[in-house]
Amino acid sequence: MIPKDLLYSKSHEWAKIEGGIAVVGITHFAQEQLGDITYVDLPQVGAVFEAGQEMGSVESVKAASELYCPVSGEVIEQNPELDAAPEKVNADPYGEGWMIKIKVADEPIDLMSPEEYAEIAQAEH
Amino acid sequence: MPYIPHTPDEVREMLDVIGVASIEELFAEIPDSLRPKSFAIPHGLTEMEVRRRLERLAAKNRTDMSSFLGGGFYDHYVPSAADMLLARGEFYTAYTPYQPEASQGTLQAIFEYQTAVSRLFEMDCSNAGVYDGGTALYEAVMMAVRHTRRKKVVVSEAVSPIYRIVLATYTKNLRLTLVTVPHAAGGDDMAALTQAIDAETAAVVVQNPNFFGTIQDFTSLFSTARDKGAVSIIAGYPVLQTVLKTPGAMGADIATAEGQSLGLPLSFGGPYLGIMTCRKALVRQMPGRIAGRTKDASGRTGYVLTLQAREQHIRRQKATSNICSNQALCALRALVNLCLTGEEGLTRQAALSIENTHYAAMRLCCIPEITLLNRDLPFGNEFTAVFPINAKKIVRALVDEGIVAGFPLGRYYPGLENALLVCCTEKHGRDEIDRLARKVEKAL
């Protein structure tokens, strides 16, 4: 469950960058590790982050994890569905469970290819 | 096995590893002046001797006084069954277990407690309780600060001074601005409170009945707060909640309370129970544990700790609060009391308390020199009497008669040295109140 058309961070976020806009979420592996997600604390629209900076958190029944911004830029949109239905992250992490859209400021440098991420996920499994 | 945690050999070994010569050397950082001078502990006594000594000490307490003391803590009747149920081993701990789902009974009790207090205050959600009414109010303020990302908090001076001191102490280093709006003759100054709420205000904090016993409707104040993006916080009194307009009906965002009046005995400083309820929109900011009811894979009802990921044992540095001990036994006692007393019983308790208090106010006001501070405002089971002399003098004079006349307000409200907060509950008899009035008249 590692789509080929996305880029990945070591902290298990994915980014789909098109036309200077990155759609961001967490990976299938990450949601599986967390278990049933009960809440996603997303950054405000307008917030500006450097790649790797903490931007929010995901809470599940038994754990909470920080979200790190995979790219540098400004948050331009939040997924409005997640507040009422955070379980969408479990059900469809790469689709309906997307989290934010970011207007990318710099070319991403630290992100990994699907193959590289597969190795990381495998190692942590 | 002797109660010696480490043998001299083990101590030696540990000291060698650290590389210090003696235990004394470990404490070298502490200046001599701050060290204990001696550990001269007296010899042990037998159980019988200890018991005798403690009973002698306990006998110095006077427990036969007729008390009109309130000020946030109230002597309501508790059904005897409450003690029996609370003493059951399954519940007799202050903690929720760290493998919570293995303790369905505890979780069900918490769930039912949450349900009961949410209904009492007509709010959406409740947590499992915090230390006391003061810390509950502080936590409510912090919820508002996190929610609004603002730093100013407007507090009515008619809110319990004890709560306000807790608030000021806990927020001292948090760069919050507490704006205290003076009370107006025992009432909340609605105009001034409304005026004080601006675009920087995180929360407005009031109490009903307020510390002077005055009952008010804060609906319009809360509506203004909402318009300005501020959170409305109200501290309530659980027993009277059955007959008053509820925080929910007034449009409050967070309602807190000291839960002692729900079946917890008065025992010189606690344990108490901080009740916290809020609207669903703020539940994410709520500290502590929230138990939920769900179904397992086979469709059977199960209870779970739904929201605990913000607790310190899971994320210490990001915890919404470091109040983790949730006073589970006190919360359970409140629930047991609510179940035994029932809605009708609680309403009757409230009505009788108010009736007795108004009778007491009437009796005291028949004495020419006495007036009521909040005479133009409705009051519940407490009122503020104003004497021509310092209220402490009245209190002292009546102690000799076996009466605790009330709570003198001068300590917290400069200028109100002659004012006495007098409280009645359903436990007071007319004769007891008549006697209070006679003795007060004599003392003047």
Side-chain angles (χ1 to χ4, degrees):
Chain A
M1 286 289 273
I2 300 173
K4 299 288 176 209
D5 57 338
L6 307 176
L7 293 173
Y8 299 88
S9 70
K10 279 186 188 138
S11 47
H12 308 287
E13 290 86 12
W14 57 263
K16 182 179 191 172
I17 305 171
E18 274 174 354
I21 306 291
V23 184
V24 172
I26 63 168
T27 65
H28 172 74
F29 173 74
Q31 68 78 21
E32 212 172 43
Q33 293 291 305
L34 281 163
D36 286 348
I37 288 168
T38 54
Y39 183 58
V40 187
D41 184 21
L42 296 176
Q44 303 284 317
V45 169
V48 176
F49 295 100
E50 294 286 321
Q53 231 182 334
E54 190 184 319
M55 62 171 189
S57 62
V58 185
E59 288 177 15
S60 65
V61 178
K62 290 279 160 54
S65 289
E66 273 66 52
L67 285 171
Y68 298 93
C69 201
V71 294
S72 302
E74 184 188 336
V75 179
I76 53 166
E77 202 180 328
Q78 284 185 345
N79 183 346
E81 307 284 317
L82 294 189
D83 204 33
E87 64 273 12
K88 288 192 175 187
V89 177
N90 290 117
D92 190 6
Y94 303 111
E96 282 189 33
W98 70 274
M99 291 177 175
I100 51 166
K101 289 183 185 168
I102 295 176
K103 194 171 159 198
V104 181
D106 301 310
E107 201 57 33
I109 38 171
D110 281 338
L111 295 180
M112 294 177 286
S113 68
E115 292 74 24
E116 288 169 314
Y117 180 68
E119 274 176 40
I120 288 214
Q122 187 62 41
E124 283 187 27
H125 202 73
Chain B
M1 200 179 90
Y3 288 106
I4 300 166
H6 312 295
T7 64
D9 283 349
E10 286 167 339
V11 170
R12 185 71 259 154
E13 200 185 329
M14 285 190 278
L15 290 174
D16 286 345
V17 170
I18 305 167
V20 291
S22 65
I23 289 181
E24 185 61 18
E25 212 176 294
L26 284 178
F27 299 107
E29 288 298 311
I30 303 170
D32 267 348
S33 62
L34 297 178
R35 306 263 188 106
K37 295 292 168 282
S38 88
F39 286 111
I41 296 166
H43 286 290
L45 300 176
T46 64
E47 179 178 331
M48 209 160 68
E49 286 167 328
V50 171
R51 177 175 271 277
R52 218 176 274 147
R53 191 161 163 178
L54 291 180
E55 277 169 356
R56 250 199 326 270
L57 283 173
K60 289 185 177 176
N61 287 326
R62 288 195 58 185
T63 53
D64 58 343
M65 307 280 283
S66 162
S67 174
F68 294 87
L69 199 56
F73 309 99
Y74 305 97
D75 185 22
H76 287 289
Y77 188 76
V78 185
S80 307
D83 286 325
M84 296 311 294
L85 291 169
L86 258 287
R88 289 188 63 99
E90 300 92 318
F91 293 123
Y92 216 71
T93 166
Y95 291 92
T96 43
Y98 277 74
Q99 270 194 318
E101 280 73 38
S103 308
Q104 286 293 301
T106 300
L107 292 185
Q108 182 178 350
I110 294 177
F111 178 79
E112 289 184 9
Y113 159 82
Q114 291 169 185
T115 307
V117 299
S118 300
R119 282 184 187 159
L120 198 56
F121 290 90
E122 277 196 282
M123 299 293 282
D124 298 334
C125 332
S126 157
N127 67 7
V130 293
Y131 287 144
D132 60 11
T135 47
L137 199 65
Y138 156 76
E139 294 289 353
V141 165
M142 293 314 293
M143 284 170 71
V145 167
R146 287 192 296 271
H147 180 72
T148 60
R149 297 168 203 232
R150 297 176 181 178
K151 295 276 188 184
K152 183 178 147 186
V153 180
V154 175
V155 187
S156 169
E157 198 194 13
V159 169
S160 165
I162 300 160
Y163 294 175
R164 286 188 285 118
I165 289 169
V166 171
L167 196 56
T169 308
Y170 275 35
T171 59
K172 198 174 168 194
N173 297 314
L174 299 181
R175 298 199 188 118
L176 296 184
T177 311
L178 296 181
V179 178
T180 306
V181 174
H183 73 92
D188 288 79
D189 190 335
M190 296 293 180
L193 280 167
T194 307
Q195 194 111 49
I197 304 170
D198 58 24
E200 306 298 312
T201 307
V204 58
V205 182
V206 295
Q207 187 175 8
N208 190 48
N210 71 23
F211 197 69
F212 303 99
T214 308
I215 291 169
Q216 277 157 125
D217 185 351
F218 294 99
T219 308
S220 142
L221 178 72
F222 292 169
S223 162
T224 305
R226 191 175 317 112
D227 291 345
K228 301 212 168 151
V231 170
S232 301
I233 301 174
I234 184 166
Y237 172 13
V239 171
L240 285 204
Q241 217 49 74
T242 50
V243 294
L244 298 180
K245 186 167 177 181
T246 61
M250 287 185 200
D253 297 304
I254 306 173
T256 65
E258 171 49 63
Q260 177 276 325
S261 60
L262 293 177
L264 276 69
L266 289 167
S267 39
F268 202 70
Y272 292 133
L273 167 66
I275 290 177
M276 294 194 77
T277 62
C278 71
R279 287 193 186 290
K280 198 176 173 198
L282 285 162
V283 71
R284 290 277 158 198
Q285 301 295 347
M286 191 99 123
R289 292 139 200 249
I290 297 173
R293 184 171 65 192
T294 184
K295 284 192 165 49
D296 71 4
S298 327
R300 291 170 302 196
T301 297
Y303 296 89
V304 291
L305 281 185
T306 309
L307 298 178
Q308 62 163 343
R310 68 208 65 250
E311 272 214 276
Q312 58 146 339
H313 68 277
I314 289 182
R315 270 206 310 181
R316 181 175 289 274
Q317 79 283 15
K318 292 278 177 66
T320 41
S321 165
N322 281 315
I323 291 191
C324 209
S325 313
N326 73 343
Q327 305 279 50
L329 192 68
C330 297
L332 181 66
R333 196 178 169 92
L335 172 67
V336 166
N337 180 69
L338 278 170
C339 294
L340 291 169
T341 309
E343 192 180 332
E344 215 175 291
L346 207 62
T347 308
R348 187 93 188 103
Q349 230 173 10
L352 281 171
S353 300
I354 294 171
E355 208 176 290
N356 284 337
T357 306
H358 281 252
Y359 179 69
M362 186 271 287
R363 289 289 278 122
L364 288 184
C365 286
C366 287
I367 303 165
E369 301 99 314
I370 302 176
T371 54
L372 289 191
L373 179 70
N374 37 5
R375 60 183 161 276
D376 301 325
L377 297 161
F379 55 90
N381 74 330
E382 252 173 318
F383 64 91
T384 306
V386 183
F387 302 109
I389 57 170
N390 193 312
K392 282 187 187 165
K393 284 189 180 155
I394 304 275
V395 171
R396 266 183 228 122
L398 267 67
V399 162
D400 297 334
E401 307 278 355
I403 297 172
V404 183
F407 186 87
L409 290 178
R411 178 173 165 192
Y412 292 118
Y413 294 96
L416 288 184
E417 282 75 13
N418 293 359
L420 185 74
L421 189 62
V422 182
C423 163
C424 294
T425 68
E426 75 282 359
K427 286 173 86 172
H428 289 92
R430 288 270 157 124
D431 50 344
E432 209 177 341
I433 296 166
D434 290 341
R435 191 161 163 266
L436 169 76
R438 280 199 307 277
K439 298 297 177 187
V440 166
E441 189 163 20
K442 201 179 112 192
L444 282 174

